[in-house]
Amino acid sequence: MLKLNVKNESSRLRAVVLGSALNNGSTPTVDEAYDPKSLEHILAGTYPIEKDMVAEMEAFNKVFQKYDVKVFRPEIIENYNQIFARDIGFVIDDTFIKANILPDRERELDAIQYVLDQINPAKIVRPPEEVHIEGGDVMLWNDYVFIGTYKGSDYKDYITARTNMQGVEYIRNLFPNKIVKEFDLVKSKLEARDNALHLDCCFQPIGTNKGIIYKSGFREESDYVYLVKLFGKENLFHITRDEMYNMNSNVFSIDTNVVVSEKNFTRLNNWLRDQGFTVEEIPYAEIAKQEGLLRCSTLPLIRD
């Protein structure tokens, strides 16, 4: 049996689901694009090819092996994108919460059923249908659960709005002892540089008291100020609009002092090293073209 335990984003990782780029299918059509960044690359003819993405994910897998992390991979669905394991579910404390994802991604949950079978069924929950919540919007920080949402009245018009206020309330009710704080995110269907698809596109805690943040990803300045007060301005690495577009806040922590990052994130990686982190640099720029990066590709199950 897997004894789930995830209380924050950076404690020592022991077990994780890592997505897969195998049998990824052909380049989507313009109508099939889920987000503005994919759309941009489909139109430009620069959408990533399977061989490159498989190589990037293998580099990520090698880092996990180096740190002796137990890695589960989804069963392969033919001609289907299974890279972003973060969307399909997430663990808070010892509970696995299945996400109500876009309906045509339901198969991705079936592909990790063999993992779910190793978890106590009493510790697996599925929110009711009206509750929308994806793992990229859920960020754990010990007593806190940070949740990205979109409060605009036009929520249903945005395929880029993935977590609703019912999702926030659902987590509040499920974990009454946690401080659940939601953040209203900026969404765009057309301009990837102004679209915070998930909370981890504009904020992520690292280490024990630091974080990476993009101020303009928040619709309300008060939400940004909340995080600055909580973490301290000197502990936050502020990224630019282009760095947000390139997913600089979507790194992944294996330990409080070990961060896996994209090798082109020069400014961020230098700052991390200055702060005492070990930075495991890997290529991930092709996968980034689908508006997801390292954190999006992982679903942590057990941390110390």
Side-chain angles (χ1 to χ4, degrees), residues 102-208:
L102 300 167
D104 44 1
R105 295 187 62 187
E106 189 65 37
R107 290 180 288 174
E108 289 176 69
L109 265 171
D110 300 338
I112 62 161
Q113 187 57 47
Y114 82 97
V115 180
L116 300 179
D117 289 342
Q118 299 174 54
I119 297 167
N120 174 356
K123 291 295 180 184
I124 300 177
V125 298
R126 178 113 208 205
E129 211 171 304
E130 68 279 3
V131 168
H132 296 181
I133 190 155
E134 288 189 352
D137 277 323
V138 181
M139 205 82 39
L140 308 184
W141 201 240
N142 305 318
D143 295 337
Y144 290 85
V145 182
F146 304 132
I147 303 182
T149 184
Y150 178 67
K151 295 182 183 176
S153 57
D154 54 354
Y155 175 92
K156 67 179 186 320
D157 300 333
Y158 279 86
I159 196 167
T160 54
R162 300 294 175 80
T163 297
N164 59 13
M165 279 307 292
Q166 284 103 310
V168 176
E169 291 307 327
Y170 178 78
I171 298 297
R172 263 199 191 114
N173 294 330
L174 207 56
F175 299 96
N177 300 330
K178 299 266 187 194
I179 302 159
V180 177
K181 164 70 179 145
E182 83 277 3
F183 298 90
D184 199 9
L185 303 180
V186 171
K187 303 285 177 181
S188 171
K189 287 183 278 198
L190 299 172
E191 173 50 81
R193 284 168 180 77
D194 300 318
N195 180 44
L197 188 65
H198 289 122
L199 181 58
D200 59 17
C201 297
C202 57
F203 172 69
Q204 186 177 181
I206 46 173
T208 52

Side-chain angles (χ1 to χ4, degrees), residues 22 101 152 173:
L22 288 168
I101 32 186
N173 294 330

Side-chain angles (χ1 to χ4, degrees), residues 58-71:
E58 202 35 55
F60 201 179
N61 196 20
K62 279 204 170 77
V63 177
F64 287 134
Q65 288 166 356
K66 175 179 170 181
Y67 287 92
D68 201 27
V69 175
K70 171 80 177 143
V71 178

